[in-house]
Amino acid sequence: MARGNHPYKRVDRATDGWVVSLTNEVQRDVVQAKVLSYINPAWIKSVKMREGKADDPEHGVIDFILIESIRGGLSQIGFKSCDQGRERFQGTSKDYVAFDEEPPYEIYLECLMRTLDCRGHIWGAMTPLMGLTWVYDAIYLNERNDPEVWFVAMAWEDNPFLSTEELKRLEATLTPD
């Protein structure tokens, strides 16, 4: 989306979105490293840090990055964490919000409000370790029959980076449920 060439969505301009983690530490150690690995460093025009140095973003906490869009202009990828609280998500418009793991429901709702006025998108990738939470009702069951809500369930076997031995070890840690 930020580069302007999403494989499934039409992107006509530079975008403004958030990538949301559960904590600053997860953002730093997992999510921002993954996002940075997808972006050619030549596309990055500016890095604003919350903690650390802009010339070493991998070892700090990024506030946002500006990257060159093929549609012209600069797209902003902001990084947020749920431990900042719902209030830190208020009062702005976003083209997209991407959740890494299941956010608290109030933060999901706040982000939904941020994307409404620009017909934005919300994505999430999560491992349902917490059981039947609000995600089960709102996303998996889609109890409101919202045509904009859909999900893709993936099994561990779909991950090409996990060996058969690792899968067996993971399964041994879980209850049958």
Side-chain angles (χ1 to χ4, degrees):
M1 284 291 282
R3 281 287 290 155
N5 57 352
H6 191 280
Y8 308 113
K9 303 286 182 188
R10 182 182 167 106
V11 182
D12 296 327
R13 58 180 171 68
T15 60
D16 184 4
W18 283 332
V19 176
V20 180
S21 304
L22 295 180
T23 67
N24 275 328
E25 291 78 15
V26 172
Q27 174 191 321
R28 180 195 63 220
D29 298 341
V30 180
V31 178
Q32 73 184 32
K34 183 62 77 176
V35 170
L36 289 171
S37 76
Y38 296 144
I39 300 172
N40 180 330
W43 301 337
I44 298 174
K45 300 305 171 193
S46 179
V47 178
K48 171 90 163 76
M49 302 294 291
R50 272 191 267 151
E51 297 172 15
K53 300 177 181 178
D55 62 349
D56 187 24
E58 294 85 4
H59 298 100
V61 177
I62 300 173
D63 187 14
F64 64 86
I65 60 176
L66 297 176
I67 70 166
E68 189 174 10
S69 171
I70 65 170
R71 305 295 175 204
L74 297 176
S75 288
Q76 180 169 291
I77 302 174
F79 291 87
K80 303 286 273 181
S81 62
C82 296
D83 60 1
Q84 292 176 294
R86 182 196 59 78
E87 295 82 9
R88 297 281 180 107
F89 290 79
Q90 297 179 147
T92 187
S93 295
K94 295 295 171 189
D95 295 303
Y96 63 88
V97 176
F99 289 108
D100 174 54
E101 298 302 341
E102 179 180 335
Y105 187 58
E106 64 274 6
I107 289 179
Y108 169 77
L109 288 178
E110 192 67 51
C111 289
L112 184 61
M113 296 299 119
R114 301 308 110 225
T115 60
L116 284 178
D117 63 337
C118 54
R119 300 184 52 103
H121 307 282
I122 293 183
W123 305 294
M126 52 196 72
T127 305
L129 296 175
M130 304 309 293
L132 302 180
T133 64
W134 68 267
V135 172
Y136 178 76
D137 297 323
I139 308 298
Y140 183 75
L141 292 180
N142 191 7
E143 60 189 8
R144 296 183 187 262
N145 295 314
D146 185 339
E148 296 289 321
V149 172
W150 58 273
F151 73 94
V152 175
M154 298 180 76
W156 286 337
E157 293 82 9
D158 296 322
N159 186 336
F161 301 102
L162 294 177
S163 70
T164 304
E165 296 79 30
E166 289 172 311
L167 291 174
K168 287 179 184 175
R169 201 172 73 228
L170 284 169
E171 289 172 0
T173 67
L174 301 173
T175 66
D177 291 341

